[in-house]
Amino acid sequence: MPISRSGAAVSVNLKDLDFSRKPHLGKNFEVESDTSDSLVAVTRPLYTVEEVLLWTPDKDGLRTDVFNIATVPLAERTQKQGGVPKTLVCHDMKGGYIEDRFVQGLRGDGCYLLSHWQYIDTFVYFSHHFITLPPPGWTNAAHRHGVKVLGTLITEWDDGAKRCQQFLRDQSSYRSLADKLALMAQHYNFDGWLINIENPLDGTQVKNLQCFVSYLTDVMHTAVQGSEVIWYDSVITTGELKWQDELNDNNRIFFESCDGIFLNYTWKEEGLQRSLEMAGERQHDVYVGVDVFGRNCFGGGGFNCNKALSVIRKQGLSAAIFAPGWVHEKLGADDFCTNQNKFWSLLSDLCPMHGPASLPFVTSFCQGQGQNFYINGQVASRGPWYNLSCQQVQPTFTSTQLSQGKEQGGNKTMVLCTKDSFHGGGSLLLGGTFHHGCDTLSYRLFTSDIPVQCPLLVSYTYKWESGANQTAVHLILHTSGQDKQWVLMGEGDRKDGDTNDTTSTRKDILDDSMGKPTVHFTPLPDTQCARLYEQCFGCTREDITEQGWCTRFYMLRDYTAAGCRVEDISLQCVRTGTGEGDAVVCLRLGEIRIVNPEDFEKRQKAAVTNVKCIDVSWKTPQHPTTTTADGDSMAASTVLFSGTLQWDFPQSPSPCFDIYFSYKGSDGNTTDEEYLGRAHNSVYRVVDLPVVHDKADTDTTIDFTVYPIQG
């Protein structure tokens, strides 16, 4: 349970029960399941031109559809010098808007997600509806990794032709639609549009279409910094629907009107050569389609997509990978993680890799799902869950790359494991074997370009599974500029000759593998950490160690590194015992945190205020034997509460928030707080919360408390 945090509460009195109240929540809510009539927030597409033109970002002074607003800003990421081909992923799975449409997530497992963001530059959420708005979970997850997110405008068949007649009628028509699309991207915090016109047009419509694409690109660039509008290779300048599979005079006018072209999948290598010549300096704006389902595609798709990508990269062009959800949709959920890792490992050498490049940098490695939901190493909510907004920054290196590295031996493995977690639903499980001649196991986690500030607050949290008595663990930060490495060691890890000055360079010690000057740091003493535990986690050191986790805090003061960058983050296990035989090591890495302490202090001062509860409804369980979401039986006097919590928070961008509830009786006694859920915006929908209704105690209240979770 969180303590000493800037939470704020609202009370709901049970004497206000009104079973006839039916709030009108709007069209972006739907029933949670086939067995429930309770409404939950969802993302949905827009189906008609009229619906788009009627959309406004505000209504009656309130933001429209606030549940669907993504709140994570686009993060900075490492960039290769001189420009490199890019990788676009177009997510088309079972028509779209499946489990990912539930804004607050759902209880269940086996859902699709992406975790290989290091290889992706742009993510397109695709469906066959007129206007496809990306669910905020995808935008939040992608933005944490510095990946842009696009929605889709598509017209096809006879219905599409009718829509084109509407919005391509004249300048006023296409500008009105473009203005709304730019406002939507700005409002929901995504980064642009894929335009796909899959029906024939007449001459006037083609002319207006080119003007529409150009105008949309201009207004998008004004509305959203760094935004993109991508044209799909479909209709040509004559108005015919005739896929070209290359950039040529038939589609160049659309390419020149926007930020890039997504070529159809049935290309030939000679067509790519012509595309390269026609694109000129904009070769990286040509995205060559690769259909993972392999429909008439070079290489046949599936695990052979690397064959198509090899040909594309040979020409120096960008790639558009269509429907990578094939690994889940076609091969099933049981071996999804294995198959997804295999798919991306085959492409890894062909996709430039990116990593974090800004402060603060905080990750718990959660992928947006888990067997339970954990807070500070303790189970806060039992049972499988799925919520992409909870996904944290994923490692840029994988276990496959470890096994292909140049370091000797160790049998090293690095996998995301959901059996235990520090925050969220997973932790990074690092394993390996010490043997004769191999007393150090190094795990590269991130390539990065994080600016070094002095001082720098760094922490990492880990938990031993085996090997604790014979192993020291160090976090290693490699810096550019002076080309040194910082070793964040444990208090008992000093070697003979170490001084007590934790910021001094060990001039007599060089890292064996890197040959770099090394600065050793030891953790801050426990007497200085109580406040940090409270600020970072909202708990005490004992709360964390009780679950077997250990957190080390460091205040790095190396003024010689000012202006440098942290360019690599790794973890190192070092054998400390005298044994020379084989020894297995396994630990969980639960969190890494690198922050500017001054900025961190400022963030701590922000407080939740003005919590409200609106759109309240009550009902009785449909069946007397109904159980709670955690599997507990409900009392006979149980009623179910639903309502929307809203609050204010001054900080931008907002962190996420944890919601707790408790009961307060007429005697003034209050129950312990219980965890309810996590919000990624300043709003949360409580759905069917079981409440024991004691008719004799009319003054009982439910208190909902909102705590900001600082990253």
Side-chain angles (χ1 to χ4, degrees), residues 212-249:
F212 165 73
V213 173
S214 178
Y215 180 75
L216 175 61
T217 303
D218 289 342
V219 294
M220 275 303 311
H221 289 175
T222 300
V224 179
Q225 183 178 2
S227 60
E228 297 177 346
V229 174
I230 305 294
W231 171 259
Y232 184 73
D233 168 26
S234 50
V235 296
I236 57 177
T237 54
T238 63
E240 297 173 87
L241 177 57
K242 195 172 183 180
W243 300 273
Q244 299 297 289
D245 301 308
E246 64 178 272
L247 176 63
N248 58 30
D249 287 331

Side-chain angles (χ1 to χ4, degrees), residues 588-660:
R588 294 182 181 275
L589 186 58
E591 184 191 82
I592 295 176
R593 181 183 298 256
I594 306 175
V595 299
N596 179 330
E598 291 184 2
D599 292 344
F600 185 66
E601 288 286 346
K602 292 177 183 177
R603 292 166 67 90
Q604 294 298 316
K605 296 177 182 178
V608 173
T609 58
N610 197 29
V611 184
K612 301 176 182 178
C613 186
I614 62 173
D615 296 329
V616 170
S617 65
W618 300 89
K619 67 179 183 181
T620 56
Q622 293 181 351
H623 306 287
T625 57
T626 299
T627 59
T628 68
D630 288 333
D632 301 323
S633 298
M634 294 184 188
S637 57
T638 295
V639 294
L640 302 179
F641 167 85
S642 296
T644 299
L645 303 176
Q646 295 179 337
W647 57 91
D648 295 328
F649 193 77
Q651 187 174 310
S652 181
S654 298
C656 54
F657 303 87
D658 277 341
I659 319 298
Y660 287 76

Side-chain angles (χ1 to χ4, degrees), residues 379-415:
V379 175
S381 178
R382 296 193 179 279
W385 62 275
Y386 170 81
N387 187 342
L388 290 174
S389 285
C390 292
Q391 187 179 99
Q392 300 293 296
V393 180
Q394 298 299 299
T396 49
F397 294 98
T398 65
S399 191
T400 301
Q401 289 164 318
L402 282 178
S403 64
Q404 294 173 347
K406 296 180 180 179
E407 298 174 85
Q408 296 180 349
N411 299 319
K412 293 181 296 184
T413 60
M414 181 170 68
V415 296

